[in-house]
Amino acid sequence: MAEKDFSQYGVGTRGVRAGQRRTQEGEQSEPIFTTSSFVFDSAEQAAARFSGEEPGNIYSRFTNPTVNTFERRLAALEGGERCVATASGMAAIAAVCSSLLTHGDHILSSNGIFGSTTVLFNKYLSRFGIEHSSIPLSDLDRWESSIKSNTRMLFIETPSNPLAEVVDIKQLSEIARRKGCLLVVDNTVCTAALQRPLELGADLVVVSATKYLDGQGRCVGGAVIGSGELIEEVYSYLRTAGPSMSPFNAWVFLKGLETLRIRMQAHSASALTLAKWAQENSAVKQVFYVGLDSHPQHALAAQQQEGFSGLLAFELNGGRDEAWRFINGTELVSITANLGDAKTTITHPATTTHGRLTDEERDVAGIHQGLVRVAVGLEDVADLQADLQRGFDAVKKGKR
Ligand SMILES: *Cc1c(COP(=O)(O)O)cnc(C)c1O
């Protein structure tokens, strides 16, 4: 059951090999331990396991070998000491807040974070006396001046979804450190293959494994990665509250990690090709993609990321009619709000992911009616371009 240290290896290699502990069967691919509990040799051993004197498995809400392998591999990828897996991305975020915050604390987040995260902060955590406010992602002066005496956590997603804003993680982590706050980065869009916030000074990374870590839209899961000390707090909450990852899902994600690096490179390459192409179309008012030279924060993104991921948004001239006509004009891509799938998806943020905001809130967030978001998958890029061209043709036709 010996485990090698992969810290000197590249991200691609770590994704394929880190964290594996072969059993005496000598398996090449990691096994799935579908068991809820574990058996002890004696009453003495049971007592030693429960008291923590002897390390080892007890019950799969606490630990499971397949889940542990996924955790070790993802920790190695993110460059963190320890990782704990959760039942979903939202369970990861909820566990971080529930275990590390208390009544009277304040969360300062960037605007436009994932919808359910906003609901968690504003509707549920507020009931326990935890405050939340949000500010524009990129404005470092604003972060510095918005931190209050009770601000305990800064929470960001960079690049933001769908408008692709970026913040300098290193500089923000210095502000957080100086002010005594934790910096938590939701790394779902880039993943460890393209961006490693812990190496840039963040305290914790949370991720929805449901998206790119799986990469083929099969399972729901999440994880938190960081120092041993912080993760122990999160783990201790999780094993009590219960939203742990199932061994089967852990195995799917583990296999996903083996192809993560190469998939993220392919998603990024196709998205960049389509972004450049869309930029040339006269029906397009603006393309939102950090990989474009014309993006105001391209240099920063190129420095802190190793690729720009597969999320691409563009605003069409016109409004909802044009956007809907575009979406309905496509034939190949899937009309759904998910992201991080091998299958390309297309969505109209203003009436789906951001549909519950008021017109004014949407305007402030920059989610206009003409905006279309594409989560570029792994199909041939020529086929995707041809399909999006059908969208542009449908917009044009509708005009006559
Ligand atoms: C999907 C998503 C989440 C939530 O993850 P689930 O696995 O759906 O619970 C959190 N943050 C981001 C950025 C996401 O895209």
Side-chain angles (χ1 to χ4, degrees):
M1 293 282 267
E3 184 191 337
K4 273 200 217 165
D5 175 15
F6 281 91
S7 53
Q8 79 273 27
Y9 288 99
V11 168
T13 307
R14 281 182 257 160
V16 174
R17 291 191 174 269
Q20 184 171 18
R21 283 181 189 160
R22 267 193 197 102
T23 73
Q24 58 212 19
E25 303 298 337
E27 68 281 356
Q28 163 75 327
S29 177
E30 297 77 359
I32 316 180
F33 287 87
T34 51
T35 179
S36 49
S37 66
F38 298 83
V39 178
F40 312 111
D41 293 338
S42 62
E44 286 80 359
Q45 188 183 42
R49 288 272 174 92
F50 272 85
S51 72
E53 238 169 83
E54 180 188 301
N57 298 302
I58 297 174
Y59 185 55
S60 283
R61 168 152 50 81
F62 305 167
T63 58
N64 173 280
T66 312
V67 177
N68 290 154
T69 306
F70 165 72
E71 290 169 336
R72 287 194 299 269
R73 186 166 293 173
L74 186 55
L77 272 173
E78 288 280 3
E81 271 173 24
R82 189 173 163 194
C83 165
V84 61
T86 56
S88 68
M90 286 317 303
I93 297 169
V96 163
C97 296
S98 305
S99 59
L100 300 173
L101 300 177
T102 189
H103 191 271
D105 285 346
H106 171 239
I107 304 170
L108 183 60
S109 81
S110 49
N111 289 336
I113 52 176
F114 189 67
S116 296
T117 308
T118 307
V119 177
L120 174 72
F121 290 172
N122 294 344
K123 181 169 175 191
Y124 294 102
L125 294 182
S126 63
R127 293 185 188 169
F128 298 91
I130 296 169
E131 293 172 49
H132 168 236
S133 53
S134 69
I135 56 172
L137 176 67
S138 331
D139 188 344
L140 286 168
D141 292 338
R142 188 84 185 268
W143 281 99
E144 179 109 36
S145 64
S146 303
I147 293 174
K148 307 193 288 183
S149 59
N150 62 336
T151 305
R152 174 87 179 107
M153 181 183 287
L154 310 183
F155 187 99
I156 59 165
E157 289 173 25
T158 177
S160 68
N161 167 21
L163 296 178
E165 282 175 88
V166 182
V167 72
D168 188 322
I169 297 174
K170 194 147 183 271
Q171 288 197 35
L172 188 58
S173 75
E174 280 158 17
I175 294 174
R177 189 137 311 128
R178 204 162 356 98
K179 300 273 191 175
C181 312
L182 294 171
L183 175 60
V184 180
V185 180
D186 183 334
N187 205 26
T188 301
V189 168
C190 277
T191 79
L194 303 182
Q195 172 172 276
R196 288 175 296 285
L198 299 174
E199 293 175 357
L200 299 170
D203 296 289
L204 288 171
V205 161
V206 292
V207 63
S208 167
T210 317
K211 314 293 167 56
Y212 289 111
L213 301 197
D214 176 340
Q216 293 170 64
R218 298 162 293 191
C219 290
V220 174
V224 188
I225 309 96
S227 69
E229 202 182 327
L230 286 175
I231 297 299
E232 180 57 29
E233 291 295 317
V234 181
Y235 165 70
S236 166
Y237 170 82
L238 276 165
R239 67 176 268 171
T240 309
S244 25
M245 180 180 281
S246 86
F248 177 79
N249 287 10
W251 182 81
V252 171
F253 297 134
L254 190 58
K255 295 286 114 182
L257 291 183
E258 294 182 4
T259 55
L260 181 66
R261 172 76 157 186
I262 196 165
R263 281 187 291 106
M264 292 313 291
Q265 287 168 344
H267 283 291
S268 301
S270 293
L272 182 59
T273 301
L274 295 173
K276 285 181 176 162
W277 171 75
Q279 208 176 15
E280 299 304 318
N281 198 302
S282 61
V284 173
K285 192 167 167 189
Q286 192 180 347
V287 177
F288 301 91
Y289 188 67
V290 281
L292 290 173
D293 294 337
S294 58
H295 188 287
Q297 293 169 298
H298 174 70
L300 168 61
Q303 187 198 323
Q304 78 180 10
Q305 300 173 209
E306 285 165 40
F308 305 105
S309 195
L311 263 196
L312 162 69
F314 47 88
E315 191 177 337
L316 296 166
N317 291 315
R320 196 191 73 174
D321 287 353
E322 283 71 16
W324 280 16
R325 229 178 276 134
F326 185 99
I327 291 169
N328 291 335
T330 60
E331 290 171 6
L332 179 67
V333 302
S334 315
I335 304 175
T336 169
N338 197 23
L339 66 100
D341 198 315
K343 297 184 174 77
T344 297
T345 66
I346 191 165
T347 191
H348 183 235
T351 50
T352 59
T353 53
H354 295 70
R356 279 193 280 172
L357 302 186
T358 64
D359 290 348
E360 200 190 328
E361 286 171 327
R362 258 196 307 272
D363 240 26
V364 171
I367 308 294
H368 300 137
Q369 292 291 338
L371 192 72
V372 173
R373 192 195 75 181
V374 180
V376 180
L378 299 177
E379 302 93 337
D380 288 344
V381 71
D383 292 332
L384 293 176
Q385 190 170 313
D387 202 41
L388 298 183
Q389 184 59 50
R390 287 182 200 110
F392 284 124
D393 294 344
V395 173
K396 220 177 195 173
K397 232 184 259 155
K399 280 250 164 64
R400 269 192 259 127

